């Protein structure tokens, strides 16, 4: 399976959109070579603002640009993009529905060496809690590129979560991304796995493992974490015997919680969540080691599926 | 005139700290060489001469505190803590590995580390809190906070700067590692902040600049800072990012760079040569 960088897709999409939309502007806080917003800097230096290592100022400056008719995208590591600038996002961007696009890069455990201060397990979850905020979590580079166009077309605040490491590419090139739509990656009959971001491919691999044991698992890519449409979820749940969710994030307030909330009073099915138990990350020599340690592999997803089906 | 033997000792310590940092980065793995190496002399002076610290009592109430507000410089602090015996040398081998003690950024699980840093801009405020607590507890201990020059763009530092002078914290000394390079390039190109000395002075701080690689001048600067009454002191360290390994000096790529085997060997050889030269000089003294 070919792997591609979502960060590069992010930077290239900015450049591509900047060509036709002169209102697109980009802000960065001394991590442009990592988030890949540097590609936009090279193409349109006059529309690129290096804010210094000043994430709060960057968020509020983006608000000002948006309130003046521009379409600002700002990026830095996810922890700083959402966390350092939380109140600036809440007050200056979300309340006024300012058209600011926030990119949280190096999300989850993907910055494996830097440790807990840099590993963001709660960014998307926290952003979900803010009214007006759209939350996106692409699973591969192709989806990232399509999502970027949808973000620019949408008028309002959007948070996008980008993995640092190259991930397998498997979503379709054709068609446009529609915010709020889920997509079926693998069809199955016994249970449905709702997965997001890096965990979508792990779920596809889990479905393979389960198939070998005679279990037919459906895998649904939930790349819009907010808004989540109840009808969409019910559509995929219909006829299944169990539900599993998988996310590279704390279980608290994430995809699993969100789906469970929507299903309360609607349907009662065995339900298992794969995600991070309320704990910070740690340094490691590889991303894979951390996914293993925190229970985020295809084996963990398959085990969760079997556990749910046994009930 | 400071004691020449002491100066030679501390110079040698600084080189040893750089060797430790390089050993921890190793071959083929990313590590913050640049901003660690620029601090080697300052760390040697603080940890091996100035500060009252004891590896056997890392939580002693009377100890001096050192915080890296530029937490990504952790390796130079680990290098010093290891030399002082806070943890066994084997931990250096396991740095940033799963189940290793030494994390990518300073963590309170590590003996000798005083605060969790790594998100830039926060260390000075933490230092202000510690300096206030020490004053309340009538302790003579001092707080030393190390900041980066790129980090100066974080607004919180300036909030802390105002707080420290408002509270007249003369038990707080901050260092600014003026190595002129940040993560993505030269501070001059990325985000200019001119007249840092004047800015800090106008915030109510006593400010002096010193060659950050000159042990003798560093010793004098720290003494001078201790003597200042009624206000906090900033020592601007004029440094070279990546100092000590010629090809990595003044090179943004070594902010968080990787050494291949050939470069690692070359780097270690340069440091060893420097060590030998210093040993020979010490003989002369
Ligand atoms: C709040 C925050 N934003 C961004 C980063 C990522 N980052 C780590 S080091 C660095 C550059 C720091 O430059 P400087 O302060 O000059 O440090 P030095 O050159 O001494 O290493 C950046 C942007 C961070 N650690 N924290």
């Amino acid at each position: 399976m070919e792997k591609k960088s979502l960060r590069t897709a992010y930077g290239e999409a900015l450049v591509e959109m900047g060509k036709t939309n002169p209102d697109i502007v980009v802000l960065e806080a001394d991590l442009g070579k990592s988030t890949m917003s540097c590609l936009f800097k090279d193409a349109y230096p006059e529309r690129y603002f290096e804010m210094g290592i000043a994430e709060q100022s960057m968020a509020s400056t983006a608000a000002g640009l948006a309130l003046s008719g521009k379409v600002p995208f700002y990026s830095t590591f996810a922890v700083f993009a959402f966390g350092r600038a939380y109140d600036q996002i809440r007050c200056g961007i979300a309340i006024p529905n300012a058209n600011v696009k926030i990119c949280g890069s190096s999300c989850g455990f993907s910055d494996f060496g830097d440790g807990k201060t840099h590993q963001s397990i709660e960014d998307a979850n926290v952003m979900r809690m803010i009214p007006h905020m759209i939350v996106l979590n692409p699973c591969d580079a192709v989806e990232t590129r399509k999502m970027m166009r949808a973000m620019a077309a949408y008028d309002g605040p959007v948070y996008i979560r980008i993995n640092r490491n190259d991930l397998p590419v498997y979503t379709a090139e054709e068609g446009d991304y529609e915010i709020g739509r889920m997509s079926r990656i693998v069809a199955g009959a016994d249970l449905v796995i709702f997965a997001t971001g890096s965990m979508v491919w792990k779920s596809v691999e889990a479905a393979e493992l389960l198939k070998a044991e005679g279990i037919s698992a459906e895998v649904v890519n939930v790349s819009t974490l907010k808004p989540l449409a109840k009808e969409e979820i019910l559509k995929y749940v219909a006829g299944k015997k169990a539900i599993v969710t998988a996310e590279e994030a704390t279980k608290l307030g994430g995809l699993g919680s969100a789906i469970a909330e929507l299903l309360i009073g609607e349907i009662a099915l065995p339900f298992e969540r794969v995600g991070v138990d309320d704990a910070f990350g740690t340094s490691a020599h590889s991303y894979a080691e951390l996914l293993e340690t925190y229970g985020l592999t295809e084996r963990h997803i398959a085990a969760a599926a079997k556990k749910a089906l046994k009930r | 005139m400071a004691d020449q033997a002491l100066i030679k000792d501390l110079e040698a310590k600084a080189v040893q700290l750089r060797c430790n940092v390089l050993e921890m980065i190793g071959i083929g793995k990313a590590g913050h060489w640049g901003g660690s190496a620029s601090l080697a002399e300052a760390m040697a002076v603080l940890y091996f001469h100035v500060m009252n610290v004891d590896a056997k009592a890392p939580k002693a109430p009377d100890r001096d505190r050192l915080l890296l507000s530029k937490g990504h410089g952790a390796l130079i602090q680990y290098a010093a803590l290891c030399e002082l015996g806070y943890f066994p040398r084997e931990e250096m081998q396991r740095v940033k590995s799963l189940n290793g003690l030494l994390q990518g950024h300073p963590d309170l699980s590590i003996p000798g580390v005083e605060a969790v840093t790594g998100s830039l801009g926060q260390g000075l405020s933490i230092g202000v809190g510690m300096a206030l607590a020490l004053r309340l507890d009538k302790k003579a201990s001092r707080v030393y906070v190390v900041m980066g020059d790129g980090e100066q763009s974080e607004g919180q530092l300036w909030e802390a700067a105002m707080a420290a002078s408002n509270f007249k914290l003369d038990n707080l000394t901050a260092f600014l590692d003026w190595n002129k390079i940040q993560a993505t390039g030269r501070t001059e190109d990325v985000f200019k902040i001119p007249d840092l000395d004047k800015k800090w002075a106008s915030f109510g701080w006593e400010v002096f600049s010193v060659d950050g690689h000159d042990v003798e001048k560093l010793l004098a600067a720290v003494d001078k800072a201790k003597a200042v009454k009624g206000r906090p002191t900033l020592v601007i360290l004029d440094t070279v990012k990546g100092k000590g390994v010629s090809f990595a000096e003044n090179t943004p790529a070594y902010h968080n760079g990787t050494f291949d085997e050939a470069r690692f060997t070359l780097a270690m050889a340069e440091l060893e040569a420097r060590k030998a030269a210093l040993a020979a000089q010490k003989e002369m003294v």
Side-chain angles (χ1 to χ4, degrees), chain A residues 30 55 80, chain B residues 70 72 118 120 148-151 154 179 181 241:
Chain A
D30 194 25
E55 296 78 9
F80 311 130
Chain B
K70 47 169 274 192
H72 60 280
L120 291 166
D149 51 1
E151 189 191 9
E154 282 291 1
N179 61 28
I181 292 176
K241 193 155 173 171

Side-chain angles (χ1 to χ4, degrees), chain B residues 5-101:
Chain B
L6 170 68
I7 290 168
K8 287 295 152 213
D9 272 348
L10 292 174
E11 284 174 356
K13 270 285 187 269
V15 180
Q16 182 58 45
L17 297 187
R18 288 193 177 96
C19 290
N20 289 359
V21 170
L22 189 63
E23 191 184 321
M24 283 187 272
I25 294 175
I27 296 166
K29 286 178 283 168
H32 290 101
W33 167 257
S36 300
S38 56
L39 285 172
E41 280 77 15
M43 288 294 129
V45 164
L46 288 168
Y47 269 119
F48 297 93
H49 182 69
V50 173
M51 287 188 0
N52 170 29
V53 288
D54 180 0
K56 285 187 234 52
K59 292 283 172 203
D62 286 332
R63 73 190 185 283
D64 291 326
R65 273 77 165 167
L66 187 145
L67 285 73
L68 288 183
S69 188
K70 47 169 274 192
H72 60 280
L75 295 182
I76 195 73
Q77 189 176 22
Y78 300 163
L81 292 173
C82 184
E83 290 294 317
L84 288 168
Y86 280 82
F87 42 79
R89 279 196 88 79
E90 298 81 74
E91 284 301 340
M92 291 209 300
Q93 243 83 59
R94 294 167 9 113
V95 68
K96 292 207 260 180
S97 73
L98 208 57
N99 308 318
L101 173 69

Side-chain angles (χ1 to χ4, degrees), chain A residues 18-308:
Chain A
K19 217 178 287 171
T20 50
N21 186 348
D23 285 333
I24 290 192
V25 295
V26 174
L27 298 89
E28 185 59 65
D30 194 25
L31 286 173
K33 289 182 183 166
S34 174
T35 65
M36 296 312 283
S37 74
C38 59
L39 298 176
F40 191 90
K41 177 186 179 183
D42 295 339
Y44 309 106
E46 70 292 347
R47 283 189 270 151
Y48 185 87
F49 302 104
E50 171 54 65
M51 299 303 296
I53 311 170
E55 296 78 9
Q56 298 167 315
S57 167
M58 175 163 72
S60 301
T61 305
L65 284 158
L67 294 174
S68 312
K70 302 297 172 200
V71 185
F73 281 73
Y74 85 68
S75 48
T76 176
F77 285 0
V79 269
F80 311 130
F82 95 92
R84 186 52 165 271
Y86 178 78
D87 191 42
Q88 282 77 6
I89 292 171
R90 186 179 188 279
C91 179
I93 296 173
I95 291 178
N97 230 334
N99 193 19
V100 174
K101 317 303 173 187
I102 304 167
C103 169
S105 211
S106 288
C107 69
F109 293 112
S110 64
D111 185 9
F112 48 85
D114 278 331
K116 60 189 84 165
T117 54
H118 284 54
Q119 292 159 354
S120 161
I121 50 160
E122 78 280 29
D123 53 313
N125 308 37
V126 172
M127 286 293 100
R128 268 190 65 232
M129 303 292 159
I130 304 184
H132 294 165
M133 188 63 72
I134 303 287
V135 182
L136 304 178
N137 189 25
C139 67
D140 69 6
V142 171
E143 190 174 45
T144 303
R145 185 181 286 266
K146 295 206 291 192
M147 232 174 218
M148 290 289 284
R149 286 195 289 268
M151 285 168 78
Y154 172 82
D155 185 13
V158 181
Y159 179 80
I160 184 171
R161 184 172 207 242
I162 299 280
N163 199 290
R164 184 185 185 86
N165 300 301
D166 296 359
L167 296 179
V169 180
Y170 50 95
T171 62
E173 289 275 358
E174 52 294 340
D176 291 328
Y177 187 79
E178 215 180 302
I179 291 173
R181 278 295 289 277
M182 302 173 188
S183 55
R184 179 163 37 213
I185 307 288
V186 178
D190 295 329
L191 81 152
V192 54
I193 305 172
F194 290 107
T196 186
S198 61
M199 289 298 110
V200 180
W201 185 250
K202 297 280 176 206
S203 298
V204 171
E205 292 179 326
E208 287 291 314
L209 295 177
L210 290 165
K211 197 161 130 196
E213 301 190 40
I215 298 168
S216 165
E218 182 149 301
V219 177
V220 176
N221 173 17
V222 189
S223 47
T224 300
L225 289 169
K226 187 184 169 187
L228 263 190
K230 191 196 275 187
E231 313 73 60
E232 284 266 301
I233 294 166
L234 288 172
K235 187 175 89 190
Y236 292 111
V237 167
K240 307 291 195 308
K241 294 192 278 285
I243 300 170
V244 171
T245 58
E247 56 199 310
E248 189 182 335
T250 171
K251 287 177 185 166
L252 305 179
L255 174 67
S257 302
I259 291 181
E261 280 164 19
L262 289 175
L263 293 180
I264 290 171
E266 290 286 341
I267 204 159
L269 276 181
F271 195 129
E272 283 294 325
R273 292 183 295 168
V274 174
V276 181
D277 288 315
D278 195 21
F280 286 111
T282 189
S283 288
H285 284 327
S286 76
Y287 181 41
E289 264 181 316
L290 286 177
L291 294 182
E292 180 68 45
T293 304
Y294 287 87
L296 303 172
T297 70
E298 62 279 9
R299 284 184 297 96
H300 293 95
I301 299 169
K306 287 194 277 183
K307 189 173 168 204

Side-chain angles (χ1 to χ4, degrees), chain B residues 220-243:
Chain B
V222 177
D223 274 347
K224 213 164 118 187
K226 275 188 183 170
V228 172
K229 292 287 166 246
R231 55 198 348 225
T233 299
L234 175 75
V235 180
I236 297 179
L237 306 171
D238 188 352
T239 56
V240 173
K241 193 155 173 171
K243 176 80 176 174

